[in-house]
Amino acid sequence: MGRNDPCPCGSGKKYKKCHLKADQARETTESGASALHELDNRLVLDMSSFAGERFGEQMRRVEKDFVDPVAAFDLAIPWSVYHFRIEGRPVFEWYLEKRARRLSADEREWLSAQRDAWLSLWEVIEVQPGESLTLQDLLSDEVRFVHEIRGSETLVKRDTILVRVVEHEGVAVICGLHPRALPPTEAAEVVRRARSRLRRKSAVPVERLRDEKLGRYLIARWEEAVEELDLRRKAPLQLQNTDGEALLLTTDHFELRPETRGEVEARLAALEGVEPPEPDAEEPSYVFLRSGKGPGRFRGNTVVGRAWLSDTALHLETNSRERADALRRRVEDACGGLIRHRAREHADPLSRVLQPGEPDRPESETPPEAQQLVLDFKEQHYADWLDVPVPALGGKSPREAAQTAAGRAAVDVLLKDMENHEQRLPEAARFDFSRLRAELALDS
């Protein structure tokens, strides 16, 4: 693009007066990051060869630090030369001692920068796809703007990664990344265990994070968390209703005489908590509600069953065996000898769930109008979510839980999990949780 051409941002200014300097700075930084990766790859290869010749089988012990060192290659190799100790020293220090005179000033400065780096759990705060990541260390609270092309194309906000970040002359790059990221909840448990080991509730000094034993501990706990997450995802899906009962669509069928239909309808309508059908309803049904103590729109809106009639039959539909039994007793007591039970049928709701390997429509192909409907539903759902009891918070509402330090941490992780999920949806269908965070002052 010519310096005097209109800037593509649409400002109306010439390119040289608008984004030229910023683009040049970015290109310079990207070029610098690429050069650092090339420099590091060359040195790591040479150090690995040096260690193999000098220490032989002792180097094989590094494989024990990983469940699968081949799968974790991108982290295992940097770990083996920058952290793994042989006879009390990491490989790069032995290498420097023997070959320092052969190294250029740039190479020595780079190895010095590597000495200052550490392995930790970094949360993705912001993503510029194809360009960069903004990361925050969940142990030290350090923040880095990292130039990373490959990772920025696959990671999303609130992912957590086990990674080494190296900073040199104002440019930060990733040099050693575990291949699996973790969602916020699983990552929070690894952080909790690491803080317990370090006996630190506040920011951990980076000097302690450079310790080889801690790094080995983080790798082990991280890979345990990955394995447990995979096992949970493979486990059969179990659905429950709001009473914690196994979800099982249950329909009871009753027989009645045509001349008694009016009386049956009248007795159903007289039951407490029953909403009769609307006069112009296409499929008239009686809805059984149970009053509750939840705030806002949740008060008194638990639907426990539905009934509909024909001239010769009454059908009761619920979503669990327990609710079906209770509703059947209630209706039989009310209607007496006017109805007679004939059959019960069940339908497993999971049979309607897409099975693994079955093709599904990608989120990106969802029609815009459908995405807007989803977003509108979320807006309604989260309107008073802060005051609704949440099982994951021990039955407390997010606002109640946020009154204690432990509760605030739990609410923060819960919101991060929801944000993390939203980031994988089309942008038009994503809900913005920043209002909820601001109302609880979680980012202050």
Side-chain angles (χ1 to χ4, degrees), residues 3 34 48 56-57 74-75 96 110 149-150 159 164 170 205 219 242 261 267 282 289 313 410 421:
R3 291 169 54 84
S34 178
S48 297
E57 284 301 312
D74 285 347
L75 176 58
L96 271 172
W110 174 248
I149 295 177
R150 186 176 61 176
D159 277 342
R164 300 175 69 255
I219 292 170
T242 54
R261 176 176 176 175
R267 295 190 184 189
E282 292 184 9
L289 300 174
H421 173 76

Side-chain angles (χ1 to χ4, degrees), residues 310-328:
S310 66
D311 286 341
T312 59
L314 164 67
H315 310 278
L316 294 180
E317 183 181 76
T318 57
N319 61 13
S320 73
R321 291 182 187 272
E322 294 82 356
R323 286 184 178 179
D325 291 341
L327 189 58
R328 176 182 170 181

